[in-house]
Amino acid sequence: MAYTRSAIVTGGTQNLGYYAALDIARQHPDWLVVVCSRSDREHAADSINEALKQRNTVFLPVDLSDSKSVRNFAKDWSAKDYPPIQALCLNAALQFPDKIVYTPEGIEATFAITHVGNSLLFHLLCPHLASQARVVITSSGTHDPAQKSGLPDPIYTTGEELAHPPPAIANGPGRGHYANAKLANVLWTYALHKRLSQKVPDRGIVVNAFDPGLMPGTGLAREYSATMRFVWNKVLPKLAPVLRAVYSANIHKPSDSAASLARLAVSPEMAGISGKYFEGRKEIPSSKDSYDEKKIEDLWNWTVRYCAQDESEVERFENLK
């Protein structure tokens, strides 16, 4: 079958990403739907195809903590002449709750996977985005201290210090790196929206940030201790109705949050909406810090400089070519 468009979901083999890919594939059997992760041990693509009695979902490997892997993914994408990308869901994230973890390239791993890898993937795939394409970046309410999520408040000084944290940040709670990375997701959303509207308005590409809410039982806690994994995977999902009543309404099953993610990515009612922050289906203000223009510009500039291999690529990334 000749597919008309592509949709890509990073972190698409499990939980939120899996169900979002399933929803998009169901709505668009004429699209190629690509689920990406380091591996597909659960055979997510096959599972989606079997559930829908279709064949339009495939798995392509990418390790977002490794820039070479991201570049190889993009190189292969270009070489195989896949259909234009209509929906790019930059969803992958990971949390390291204890001591700080660094990638082989030497940057803090939560930030590397959650922000840097997804951002590099966007820049490399930007030439392949269709007219009116949509980019959705999965953030989290943990980026906003006012939401009192239970995680440490994010500390944004510079992009460089998120990548290579000084002792005050490096030696802090491991989950603080996750809050920092999720704030970076929102800052980068606003930076990208600004540049899309200024530099390539004719392409009609939009970008929004998305908070799926707390989803007990997902793979986010796979780096936690055995006891905490048991609580997260076995206890909290059963308590979700109680938690919604006494703690927060923003607690959902992955499949429910995935429907909201897919809505942002493909629903006609969301066409043309850009530069916004959504909690589920509701547009809300993001954190106070996320609107700080100095932070927005610092993160954009650091990300472009870090991700680009040379000055010509800096120019490409800056101008969204």
Side-chain angles (χ1 to χ4, degrees):
M1 177 178 179
Y3 298 112
T4 61
R5 290 289 186 269
S6 299
I8 297 176
V9 184
T10 66
T13 59
Q14 297 183 51
N15 305 303
L16 176 66
Y18 170 86
Y19 288 108
L22 175 69
D23 206 337
I24 293 169
R26 179 189 293 114
Q27 294 184 53
H28 293 280
D30 58 325
W31 288 14
L32 177 70
V33 178
V34 181
V35 293
C36 302
S37 187
R38 285 180 295 180
S39 63
D40 188 16
R41 296 173 184 171
E42 303 300 322
H43 304 287
D46 292 339
S47 173
I48 291 172
N49 287 332
E50 183 176 348
L52 300 178
K53 307 304 179 188
Q54 297 173 185
R55 299 179 61 186
N56 63 318
T57 302
V58 299
F59 166 73
L60 294 178
V62 64
D63 182 352
L64 293 175
S65 70
D66 179 354
S67 63
K68 291 181 181 178
S69 174
V70 178
R71 288 183 176 278
N72 285 337
F73 179 96
K75 183 178 180 180
D76 289 346
W77 186 274
S78 298
K80 292 180 180 176
D81 195 29
Y82 288 113
I85 302 165
Q86 193 65 50
L88 179 58
C89 300
L90 301 175
N91 167 73
L94 196 56
Q95 205 177 110
F96 299 92
D98 300 317
K99 292 183 179 179
I100 190 168
V101 175
Y102 292 94
T103 69
E105 294 175 13
I107 64 175
E108 193 279 313
T110 313
F111 183 65
I113 295 165
T114 307
H115 169 66
V116 178
N118 280 313
S119 300
L120 175 59
L121 185 65
F122 166 82
H123 281 297
L124 296 173
L125 294 180
C126 189
H128 302 287
L129 293 177
S131 175
Q132 314 298 318
R134 300 189 201 174
V135 181
V136 185
I137 300 169
T138 301
S139 182
S140 167
T142 60
H143 90 280
D144 187 355
Q147 293 203 24
K148 302 186 184 304
S149 66
L151 264 66
D153 292 347
I155 303 170
Y156 189 98
T157 50
T158 65
E160 172 62 23
E161 289 196 350
L162 291 192
H164 304 103
I169 298 176
N171 298 330
R175 294 187 303 163
H177 302 302
Y178 182 77
N180 289 342
K182 289 302 179 180
L183 173 57
N185 287 150
V186 185
L187 293 167
W188 195 76
T189 297
Y190 295 155
L192 179 56
H193 164 70
K194 176 181 176 180
R195 284 158 175 82
L196 286 168
S197 60
Q198 289 178 344
K199 296 181 181 295
V200 287
D202 55 311
R203 296 186 68 186
I205 301 168
V206 300
V207 58
N208 291 292
F210 171 67
D211 169 23
L214 185 67
M215 298 175 292
T218 64
L220 186 63
R222 59 184 178 270
E223 298 294 331
Y224 278 53
S225 67
T227 300
M228 289 302 296
R229 288 199 306 272
F230 176 81
V231 172
W232 177 255
N233 292 321
K234 302 298 183 182
V235 178
L236 291 182
K238 295 179 181 178
L239 295 178
V242 176
L243 292 172
R244 275 195 295 270
V246 302
Y247 175 59
S248 170
N250 194 26
I251 299 174
H252 309 283
K253 294 179 180 178
S255 57
D256 293 336
S257 292
S260 298
L261 174 53
R263 172 176 173 263
L264 281 172
V266 301
S267 173
E269 68 180 296
M270 303 307 296
I273 296 173
S274 186
K276 307 297 183 183
Y277 178 82
F278 287 85
E279 181 184 89
R281 290 176 172 255
K282 181 172 61 175
E283 180 191 333
I284 67 168
S286 52
S287 71
K288 179 180 177 181
D289 276 358
S290 70
Y291 295 107
D292 186 324
E293 285 293 334
K294 289 184 179 179
K295 292 180 172 63
I296 290 169
E297 292 303 306
D298 173 81
L299 181 66
W300 176 267
N301 292 330
W302 180 89
T303 303
V304 167
R305 284 284 169 183
Y306 180 83
C307 289
Q309 288 184 321
D310 52 38
E311 288 301 317
S312 65
E313 204 166 66
V314 168
E315 182 180 1
R316 273 186 50 212
F317 290 0
E318 282 284 2
N319 291 295
L320 303 175
K321 293 181 179 179

